[in-house]
Amino acid sequence: MKEIYLDNNATTMVAPEVLETMLPFLRDSYGNASSMHGFGGKVGAFISQAREQTAQCLGCSPDEIIFTSCGTESDNTAIFSAVRSQPEKRHVVTTRVEHPAVLNVASHLEIAGYEVTHLKVDEQGRLDLQELEDSLRPDTALVSVMHANNENGIIFPLESISEIVKDRGILLHTDAVQTVGKLPIDLQKLAVDFLALSAHKVHGPKGVGALYIRRGVPFRPFMLGGHQEKGRRAGTENVAGIVALGKAMEMAAIGIHEKNSRVRTLRDRLEQGILDAIPDVRRNGDPENRLPNTTSLAFKFIEGESILLMLDQHGICASSGSACTSGSLEPSHVLRAMGVPFTYAHGSIRFSLSRYTTDAEIDLVLQELPGIVSRLRAMSPFTATSKATGDCAC
Ligand SMILES: *Cc1c(COP(=O)(O)O)cnc(C)c1O
């Protein structure tokens, strides 16, 4: 039985066309793009092509793109560059719901003596733009706000954010790992200075990402070494990965609106089907401004991990909003920031679809999930008889 893969915000299948594109660079064309001989030199043209494909997809110029090893490296590069290029500025603004690739850099900066403002979100997962505006100071080096959240799919209003931030001449970075290839992005209209993306979230391979750096923005490299990427990112180019990223970006852009409406229809059918069939379920976050492929649902009285284990027995892959660490279940920082009540937060799971998701797969989830939830609820110490307390049954 083939798995039903509904965990596409964690990673995606490599598109068969993308795999075909990268194979020659692993098999025969293994030369180093920096070599003097033609054997290596010729791969440089394919890197340039990938840079053009990536730039095309974002509406920027190819020389504003550097290739990195992942979304995490792109986020790290942008944030460290912004603070190192403005040593007199000691304040950074971000949000409480960022990916660890940003949050843990922010914590690192705090330990190094920077002040970090973590913007809050409301119960729908939305930012308060007034709070953003009030947080900006003369010594603010950078605002780092994700484009869409990986857990609940909520899209932040990046255009309005950029207007507020650019008015003050402050650098703006966005972690767009969840939106590139899912939403049309036009950097001509979007005044961000840095934008991070990752290939494996858009049907490319793992281990390659890119960072957009707006022309004219001061830049300090994160990786030091050779002269690759015009001195902006040292390290021998991952040619196969870069070529694959270019192809993945090109493919994502083709018919993006049609693909989105198809995925949205499937997601809505899954979500509505679950809400209709199962009592005490709620949706986490703003239903309007969110990615078309994502739904985060909270099942009262039971634990997300238990649902996932039982879904897994039916070959269905989803993900939970919690991380079970050292025997105690902590709801995810995103659900906590949204103030999702305890009895729901622990029972939260995320389904994230892709352009490869089929109607039959959604049917199967809708067929299996109600039984799974009622079996778990029948065993739950929280259901009906005992009242929910602060303790959890991990
Ligand atoms: C996956 C993800 C990342 C990290 O990307 P990697 O390529 O896995 O390092 C960063 N931010 C968001 C929002 C993500 O979803």
Side-chain angles (χ1 to χ4, degrees):
M1 189 181 76
K2 201 180 176 307
E3 71 287 343
I4 294 178
Y5 189 74
L6 299 176
D7 198 11
N8 287 280
N9 287 9
T11 195
T12 59
M13 176 186 102
V14 177
E17 298 89 337
V18 171
L19 181 62
E20 284 307 315
T21 308
M22 71 190 291
L23 283 177
F25 298 93
L26 296 170
R27 206 178 269 143
D28 306 312
S29 302
Y30 56 81
N32 187 323
S34 307
S35 298
M36 288 305 290
H37 46 74
F39 177 66
K42 72 175 184 210
V43 305
F46 292 94
I47 296 178
S48 301
Q49 189 192 3
R51 207 183 304 280
E52 272 159 33
Q53 288 165 319
T54 306
Q56 177 87 36
C57 191
L58 301 174
C60 67
S61 154
D63 58 297
E64 294 175 305
I65 299 291
I66 63 169
F67 294 113
T68 65
S69 67
C70 58
T72 301
E73 186 193 324
S74 298
D75 282 328
N76 274 257
T77 303
I79 299 169
F80 281 117
S81 174
V83 296
R84 286 176 185 155
S85 64
Q86 309 170 91
E88 70 293 352
K89 297 188 174 176
R90 306 289 290 176
H91 176 234
V92 169
V93 177
T94 186
T95 79
R96 293 187 191 176
V97 296
E98 296 296 309
H99 189 275
V102 169
L103 277 184
N104 287 335
V105 180
S107 311
H108 175 88
L109 290 176
E110 275 180 317
I111 292 165
Y114 284 82
E115 246 187 272
V116 179
T117 303
H118 290 88
L119 302 173
K120 62 181 186 305
V121 294
D122 67 11
E123 71 288 347
Q124 301 277 23
R126 293 172 304 208
L127 285 176
D128 174 356
L129 295 188
Q130 190 58 50
E131 190 197 7
L132 166 67
E133 194 163 352
D134 295 343
S135 74
L136 302 178
R137 318 191 312 210
D139 68 336
T140 306
L142 174 75
V143 172
S144 181
V145 174
M146 68 201 318
H147 195 185
N149 188 276
N150 44 302
E151 286 190 29
N152 57 26
I154 305 302
I155 301 166
F156 285 150
L158 211 48
E159 268 181 55
S160 315
I161 291 168
S162 73
E163 277 160 28
I164 295 169
V165 174
K166 293 333 284 174
D167 256 13
R168 319 282 184 99
I170 296 168
L171 291 178
L172 175 60
H173 167 57
T174 189
D175 174 342
V177 172
Q178 288 296 339
T179 54
V180 170
K182 289 185 192 149
L183 302 179
I185 292 177
D186 184 0
L187 286 166
Q188 295 307 308
K189 295 196 190 119
L190 203 57
V192 299
D193 299 297
F194 302 99
L195 176 145
L197 65 95
S198 177
H200 77 95
K201 303 286 175 87
V202 281
H203 304 290
K206 292 161 190 64
V208 60
L211 177 66
Y212 159 80
I213 308 159
R214 180 174 292 278
R215 188 179 292 144
V217 165
F219 183 70
R220 299 283 180 282
F222 182 64
M223 297 283 272
L224 305 175
H227 296 295
Q228 292 89 356
E229 299 292 286
K230 294 192 178 138
R232 291 178 297 175
R233 199 279 185 182
T236 301
E237 298 87 345
N238 170 8
V239 182
I242 290 169
V243 168
L245 170 58
K247 181 70 178 174
M249 295 287 285
E250 186 185 78
M251 287 184 69
I254 299 168
I256 192 166
H257 296 290
E258 292 74 25
K259 283 187 285 201
N260 276 349
S261 62
R262 218 195 116 252
V263 169
R264 180 180 288 108
T265 305
L266 284 176
R267 189 272 316 270
D268 289 349
R269 192 160 75 76
L270 173 66
E271 183 177 270
Q272 203 52 53
I274 293 171
L275 291 169
D276 289 346
I278 306 175
D280 294 313
V281 185
R282 44 180 262 180
R283 180 173 42 218
N284 294 318
D286 181 4
E288 300 305 321
N289 298 302
R290 61 178 169 152
L291 294 172
N293 78 319
T294 308
T295 177
S296 169
L297 294 168
F299 298 78
K300 201 176 183 184
F301 303 127
I302 49 180
E303 277 158 15
E305 278 72 14
S306 315
I307 306 175
L308 293 181
L309 287 176
M310 294 185 76
L311 283 172
D312 193 42
Q313 288 170 4
H314 293 87
I316 301 166
C317 313
S319 137
S320 83
S322 319
C324 194
T325 41
S326 62
S328 80
L329 271 184
E330 269 284 287
S332 85
H333 67 287
V334 176
L335 298 175
R336 270 184 286 147
M338 291 163 73
V340 175
F342 170 84
T343 47
Y344 279 103
H346 283 278
S348 286
I349 62 173
R350 173 190 76 189
F351 294 103
S352 47
L353 287 61
S354 83
R355 61 180 192 251
Y356 296 102
T357 306
T358 65
D359 265 296
E361 291 176 323
I362 298 301
D363 289 340
L364 215 125
V365 179
L366 288 174
Q367 186 188 309
E368 298 299 341
L369 193 58
I372 289 174
V373 171
S374 42
R375 284 199 293 283
L376 288 171
R377 281 184 175 158
M379 299 187 288
S380 165
F382 296 146
T383 323
T385 47
S386 68
K387 273 207 195 71
T389 65
D391 307 317
C392 90
C394 183

